Amino acid sequence: MDFGFIFSSAAGELFSPTTAAYALATLGLAVHFGYTGLLNFGQAGFMAVGAYGFAISTLTFHVPFFVGLLIAVVCSAIFALLLGIPTLRLRADYLAIVTIAAAEIVRYIVTTNQLTAITGSANGLAAFEGDFYAMNPFPPGTYVGMNNRDFFIRVVAWAVVALFCLIVWLLMRSPWGRVLKGIREDENAVRSLGKNVYAYKMQSLIIGGALGALAGMIFTIPRGAVQPANYGTELTFFLYTCLLLGGLGTVLGPVVGAMIFWVVLSLTQGILYGLIESGTITWLNTVQAGQLRYILVGVALMLLMIFRPQGVLGNKKELAFA
């Protein structure tokens, strides 16, 4: 078993575009749940809306890259309004039910055969990333063991993550952010002070959803294709795993949580596959090992919740609202 290859592959996940996409989407969940107390179980839906909004506008309407990006964000804002208007005045569990259902509705809509010409149905859409790579300033060559395209998407992805971490940090230190934290702790108390709780919740839902839409684009561009199977309900629960690993009410927690999540997944997969190929484990095949790694991550998360429920970077004060 080649431990050097296993550990180098796991280390590569630290700064992969997928990890960056998870970090950004989890940051959106931190705005929703960690700071505002909104129980959004449909972040995968926001990611799908962003990815499909960008892909469809690029392939069908041939808009430039930044226009497609703007369309994706606007679509996520409309999606947030559609979810928030009927639910944000109600109890938190209504939002949870609506968001998880809406995310599945989005996934089923894009797989409808009648929309194949627009959404690609179950096959998805491809070849829409040309304008993005056309902006690549790095000439052909090798950069830190990567070609110029891989290096460019990683630089852009993590620059976007760093930018929005800074923006969220500044927002949460502002009076607006303090109102969100007050809503998380006791929205009736905030309402008694004359604040429009419904408006603040809606703003939080839109901002966190926009982060999810941008994450959907980052998740999609390196693959060169957007497929509905990638935006199932399990994606949202993976994002919550990242959020819990890093810490609920923190800005860097989602980033650290996403890194831990993907490094652990890569390590467990590499070790299990190595044991299977060497014949040490004969009662598993590679398909079963792929599922077992998620079980191991789940066990690790359970242990974390027992011994450090605030997450790696969180503090116990942030658990008071949970």
Side-chain angles (χ1 to χ4, degrees), residues 6 9 43 98 145 172-173 206 212 258 275 282 286:
I6 291 172
S9 298
Q43 190 71 337
V98 168
M172 296 310 160
R173 288 170 57 89
I206 291 173
L275 292 173
T282 58
T286 54

Side-chain angles (χ1 to χ4, degrees), residues 86-120:
T87 61
L88 289 181
R89 297 186 188 276
L90 305 174
R91 296 199 315 264
D93 49 352
Y94 286 98
L95 179 64
I97 294 169
V98 168
T99 50
I100 195 171
E104 285 298 286
I105 289 170
V106 169
R107 192 164 65 89
Y108 282 118
I109 287 175
V110 298
T111 57
T112 303
N113 290 332
Q114 287 78 4
L115 297 176
T116 300
I118 299 175
T119 65

Side-chain angles (χ1 to χ4, degrees), residues 29-79:
L29 275 185
V31 174
H32 288 161
F33 184 60
Y35 286 108
T36 319
L38 298 178
L39 197 56
N40 169 24
F41 280 155
Q43 190 71 337
F46 283 102
M47 293 179 69
V49 167
Y52 273 96
F54 173 73
I56 292 172
S57 61
T58 301
L59 293 175
T60 304
F61 302 104
H62 308 289
V63 301
F65 173 80
F66 288 105
V67 175
L69 185 152
L70 180 61
I71 290 173
V73 172
V74 170
C75 288
S76 73
I78 295 172
F79 188 54

Side-chain angles (χ1 to χ4, degrees), residues 187-196:
E187 67 177 72
N188 290 326
V190 174
R191 190 177 289 111
S192 69
L193 296 174
K195 300 295 184 181
N196 188 336

Side-chain angles (χ1 to χ4, degrees), residues 197-209:
V197 171
Y198 175 75
Y200 278 94
K201 283 184 176 181
M202 183 64 76
Q203 292 163 21
S204 173
L205 188 63
I206 291 173
I207 291 173

